Amino acid sequence: MSLVETLIAKMTIAEKVGQLNLVTAGQAVTGPAQAGDFRANVRAGHVGGVFNLWGRDAIESVQKQAVQGARLGVPLFFGLDVLHGHRTIFPIPLAEAGLFDPPFWERTARAAAIEAAADGIDLTFAPMLDVARDPRWGRIAEGPGEDPLVAARFAAAKVRGFQGTALSERTSIASTAKHFCAGGAALAGRDYAAVDLSERVLHEVYLPPFRAAVAAGCAAIMPAFNSLAGIPMTAHTALLTGFLRRKLGFDGVIISDYTAIPELIQHGVAADRVEAAALALKAGVDMDMVSGAFLLLPQALARGLVTEADIDAAVRRVLRLKESLGLFDDPYRRCRQSPAPPPAAHQALARDAARRTLTLLVNHDVLPIPAHVRRIAIIGPLADARADLLGPWSAAGAPAQCVTILEGLRAAVPECEIVHHPGVGVEGDDASGIPLARRLCETAELVVLCLGESAGMSGEAASRANPGLPGGQMALADAVLETGRPVAVILLSGRPLMISTLAARAGAVLAAWFPGHAAGDAIADVVTGRVNPSGRLPVTWPVNIGQVPIFFATRSSGRPPDSLDPFTSKYLDVSVEPLFPFGHGLSYARTSLANLRIRLGAPVEVEVDLCNEGPVAAEETIFLFLRDVAARVARPLMELKDWAKVTLAPGRTQRVVFTLGRESFTFLDENLEPVFEPGGFEILVGQSADRKRLLTARIDLSM
Ligand code: GLC
């Protein structure tokens, strides 16, 4: 009999449900505080895993209590939210998505896994794969943006990066694909709110990243807090067991979100904690994060709500996870690695990542900073911000190791006189600093205006109904802009901010998101022109929050927007166009696309020429969209089918080739089954989803 089956045979029912109990140690606070000393439960064998604890000695100490203290000595696993780095913090996931670079996404996850494992971590609650099209929702910061193909490729890359070549490797950590699913479509952009969307949109948009994560071998999946069409995800049998386990063959562990099981009572589907525990277990949830509700499963058993076979199935999956992590061979395999600081290469990787995620939204030749400039005013509440640069979910990242924007620029242009004033706070209405800040600008040759959100204004439980510049920042910007000096705005945020007025008046706007530890150096690299910006938007940037949800892959209307025809789908007061489209991002080079050529066949080949007219080398992202012009189910106006990254020296032209297999031309029919329909298709190629700037060709496929 296998080790797992032998253990299950030996376990009492209390020891079995103990394996399904995941407790927080509280070194990080990621949900409502919990009382009690979890160590006593560990020694009693009532805990299967611990999270929010890191550090070799701390983890070794707790593991010893399980292995030596509990009757059967079953080792714990240790989890943490390692989303964008562990000790070395990379840009937030939304920023990194804008690299459109799966190998790079994998590299940063690999680096994070190495650092987390060295701190004793066995499992991360990442990647977060929530497709999001609503900037009011603070968790848009944690995910891969608006597009399911980007999210799917992000999922696969991150799972590979975290899990390495084998889960048993000391530097591998188990990944947890989360939050399953559709939390990004929460009602009114409010975190945890109900989600109601069509079965079609569920399958076309929100399930693909989880299909990809399962195909890549993710070890765990975390259901979302929200309900979907009236069924809370934590009790969603059809999707947890029907889709994940039976249709996709997912045989890993399903870990509830923080106290999500008893929250089934608030959802209105369970009368008490015992019933909530039974509902979750029967739906397919294996571990209970924090609430302790699964410790009541013996009562559910006595009430006939669950069977011991149900409990054994969950225990089996948890023990198999621990076995695959190598914890039965050596419970200390990660926390007893020889102590070593994060490799220096990770700092270089963090700087490279930060530089490449910076997205130049506006530039009227204000950037890069001209070589003759000798006096720069660095203004704004985020110019000298340090901890905020890490963004939400910064794991074990030390704020003190951040390079501020002020520090980065001072180091990059020592020949310049740099003056600084915050002007205003990130929030609050104290405008008393604006006059002095303005005076400093009047004698400057260039102003770098550092605005945006604090790290806590995005991430979990951080929805904003009016996601514009907080506090008195726009008043500061008005005063600075009135000086008439060239103004380059550095925008720090976890979401697209409503900045249409600022974008219309500033000389340049660089979206920095939250770049991580190397923020100041990376921003200096780009604004000085040492690095050509190459970040592209992974999410549509609205003009006005009233446009939301706004995204490129919308279905048409029978009356598409037409400014000349009042009886069409548009607003009286705001454009239907975004401020910046998906894929937008400027460069210091002048590049262009030409000569779109299609070669029909199996596969269909699409070619286009990218030219770099200079003056500097460029890294470009070329997107390929498709529209099925007429199908029995209305198809989106544009669907992203592929993209290519091209680095091109000045003066050079390169042929870019895409191949589209038959699956690219299929869609889900009335029964949500993939189908190919002969007929007309539009192929659209370009450097963003701005339809006016795309090269387009029409093809007819008969088979
Ligand atoms: C939080 C988050 C989830 C995280 C978990 C553990 O509530 O929703 O993303 O992994 O708790 O920290």
Side-chain angles (χ1 to χ4, degrees):
M1 189 149 66
S2 73
L3 177 143
V4 165
E5 296 309 327
T6 304
L7 268 175
I8 290 174
K10 287 179 181 174
M11 283 179 170
T12 64
I13 193 68
E15 288 167 334
K16 287 179 179 178
V17 299
Q19 286 300 308
L20 312 184
N21 187 29
L22 177 62
V23 300
T24 177
Q27 188 172 356
V29 177
T30 59
Q34 301 302 308
D37 171 15
F38 73 94
R39 288 172 175 74
N41 273 335
V42 168
R43 288 190 295 276
H46 295 164
V47 175
V50 175
F51 73 105
N52 285 345
L53 178 72
W54 62 90
R56 306 152 27 75
D57 298 342
I59 283 186
E60 178 171 359
S61 153
V62 173
Q63 186 69 294
K64 272 182 183 170
Q65 295 185 20
V67 171
Q68 297 172 6
R71 183 176 77 91
L72 294 172
V74 177
L76 304 166
F77 71 75
F78 293 88
L80 186 67
D81 294 279
V82 180
L83 267 85
H84 54 109
H86 178 64
R87 290 199 179 272
T88 306
I89 302 302
F90 300 104
I92 57 171
L94 183 63
E96 202 186 14
L99 289 178
F100 293 94
D101 190 342
F104 197 94
W105 293 336
E106 184 173 340
R107 282 177 60 200
T108 55
R110 186 89 292 275
I114 289 166
E115 292 186 5
D119 258 348
I121 298 302
D122 303 299
L123 174 142
T124 177
F125 303 119
M128 191 271 205
L129 302 173
D130 302 41
V131 170
R133 297 163 164 182
D134 185 340
R136 294 172 296 182
W137 190 52
R139 304 202 79 165
I140 192 171
E142 305 173 39
E146 76 176 57
D147 183 75
L149 177 64
V150 176
R153 291 181 177 175
F154 190 83
K158 289 299 178 185
V159 168
R160 286 194 303 267
F162 287 132
Q163 299 192 168
T165 51
L167 268 189
S168 57
E169 292 292 321
R170 292 179 186 283
T171 60
S172 295
I173 59 177
S175 64
T176 307
K178 74 181 186 184
H179 306 83
F180 184 73
C181 62
L187 179 68
R190 272 199 333 272
D191 211 1
Y192 315 119
V195 173
D196 276 291
L197 42 80
S198 69
E199 194 75 8
R200 174 169 299 284
V201 167
L202 176 66
H203 283 265
E204 288 182 352
V205 177
Y206 295 99
L207 292 182
F210 291 92
R211 280 181 178 274
V214 171
C218 72
I221 290 178
M222 181 187 292
F225 279 119
N226 54 276
S227 61
L228 177 61
I231 302 174
M233 284 311 305
T234 305
H236 206 300
T237 306
L239 284 175
L240 297 180
T241 297
F243 177 75
L244 287 179
R245 296 206 192 283
R246 294 198 180 125
K247 188 171 179 68
L248 298 190
F250 174 65
D251 62 356
V253 176
I254 295 179
I255 302 173
S256 88
D257 205 335
Y258 200 110
T259 65
I261 291 176
E263 289 174 15
L264 295 176
I265 301 167
Q266 283 86 344
H267 274 292
V269 299
D272 56 38
R273 288 168 64 86
V274 174
E275 197 175 296
L279 270 177
L281 185 78
K282 297 292 278 187
V285 176
D286 298 312
M287 286 196 96
D288 163 24
M289 183 183 280
V290 170
S291 84
F294 268 10
L295 296 178
L296 304 175
L297 283 171
Q299 294 181 43
L301 193 60
R303 283 165 54 176
L305 300 176
V306 300
T307 67
E308 186 146 8
D310 293 328
I311 295 170
D312 289 356
V315 174
R316 186 169 293 112
R317 288 188 282 259
V318 172
L319 294 179
R320 280 179 178 162
L321 172 62
K322 295 179 178 182
E323 188 176 43
S324 62
L325 284 164
L327 293 172
F328 287 115
D329 298 335
D330 175 5
Y332 309 100
R333 70 192 301 101
R334 290 174 182 81
C335 65
R336 280 184 181 164
Q337 294 184 70
S338 52
H346 290 184
Q347 278 76 24
L349 183 62
R351 183 166 180 169
D352 192 24
R355 285 189 299 220
R356 295 180 64 207
T357 54
L358 300 177
T359 307
L360 189 58
L361 302 178
V362 173
N363 191 25
H364 303 300
D365 295 331
V366 166
L367 292 178
I369 299 173
H372 63 72
V373 166
R374 286 294 175 271
R375 182 175 165 84
I376 300 173
I378 301 181
I379 305 295
L382 289 156
D384 208 21
R386 201 175 292 276
D388 286 318
L389 298 171
L390 297 179
W393 301 105
S394 54
Q401 292 168 9
C402 282
V403 178
T404 69
I405 299 173
L406 192 56
E407 291 165 343
L409 275 169
R410 283 199 165 121
V413 286
E415 69 280 9
C416 285
E417 180 194 359
I418 286 181
V419 293
H420 159 62
H421 196 285
V424 294
V426 172
E427 296 181 88
D429 54 7
D430 177 1
S432 59
I434 291 180
L436 176 52
R438 177 192 168 111
R439 277 199 298 281
L440 291 176
C441 296
E442 284 163 349
T443 57
E445 294 172 83
L446 173 77
V447 178
V448 176
L449 183 55
C450 306
L451 304 174
E453 295 180 320
S454 62
M457 299 178 84
S458 63
E460 183 175 1
S463 294
R464 296 181 64 203
N466 287 306
L469 285 174
Q473 295 186 46
M474 196 58 218
L476 172 66
D478 286 338
V480 168
L481 290 162
E482 279 159 17
T483 66
R485 315 309 297 157
V487 176
V489 173
I490 311 291
L491 196 64
L492 290 163
S493 68
R495 54 165 54 90
L497 294 181
M498 302 307 114
I499 56 159
S500 51
T501 304
L502 180 66
R505 298 175 58 196
V509 178
L510 184 70
W513 306 111
F514 289 112
H517 273 126
D521 288 332
I523 289 167
D525 291 339
V526 166
V527 300
T528 60
R530 290 167 196 161
V531 169
N532 185 8
S534 58
R536 298 292 180 264
L537 292 180
V539 62
T540 300
W541 195 298
V543 165
N544 180 300
I545 201 62
Q547 295 177 311
V548 165
I550 182 170
F551 51 97
F552 71 84
T554 53
R555 287 183 224 282
S556 182
S557 152
R559 296 189 173 185
D562 176 348
S563 57
L564 303 177
D565 179 347
F567 297 97
T568 60
S569 178
K570 62 189 187 315
Y571 304 105
L572 292 178
D573 53 351
V574 173
S575 161
V576 296
E577 294 300 324
L579 183 61
F580 305 112
F582 172 93
H584 174 74
L586 303 177
S587 161
Y588 295 148
R590 291 182 310 283
T591 59
S592 59
L593 285 171
N595 306 326
L596 176 62
R597 306 178 291 284
I598 314 289
R599 205 185 334 278
L600 296 185
V604 171
E605 282 204 353
V606 180
E607 289 183 8
V608 69
D609 294 336
L610 174 69
C611 172
N612 178 357
E613 295 144 21
V616 295
E619 176 184 314
E620 291 300 336
T621 306
I622 316 298
F623 299 98
L624 184 142
F625 302 96
L626 183 75
R627 184 190 185 191
D628 187 339
V629 175
R632 58 179 184 271
V633 173
R635 305 305 306 135
L637 287 167
M638 292 163 60
E639 288 182 89
L640 182 63
K641 292 297 180 180
D642 201 358
W643 69 80
K645 299 284 288 185
V646 182
T647 301
L648 203 52
R652 302 294 300 272
T653 296
Q654 180 168 325
R655 187 172 65 122
V656 183
V657 182
F658 299 94
T659 55
L660 289 174
R662 182 184 172 86
E663 70 287 347
S664 294
F665 297 91
T666 62
F667 62 92
L668 299 180
D669 67 10
E670 303 87 336
N671 304 313
L672 300 178
E673 293 299 329
V675 66
F676 169 78
E677 246 184 30
F681 295 88
E682 276 185 343
I683 288 178
L684 309 98
V685 176
Q687 294 174 273
S688 82
D690 179 354
R691 200 182 178 90
K692 301 185 293 301
R693 301 167 61 89
L694 294 174
L695 300 179
T696 304
R698 161 91 186 228
I699 63 172
D700 285 284
L701 293 183
S702 55
M703 36 54 67

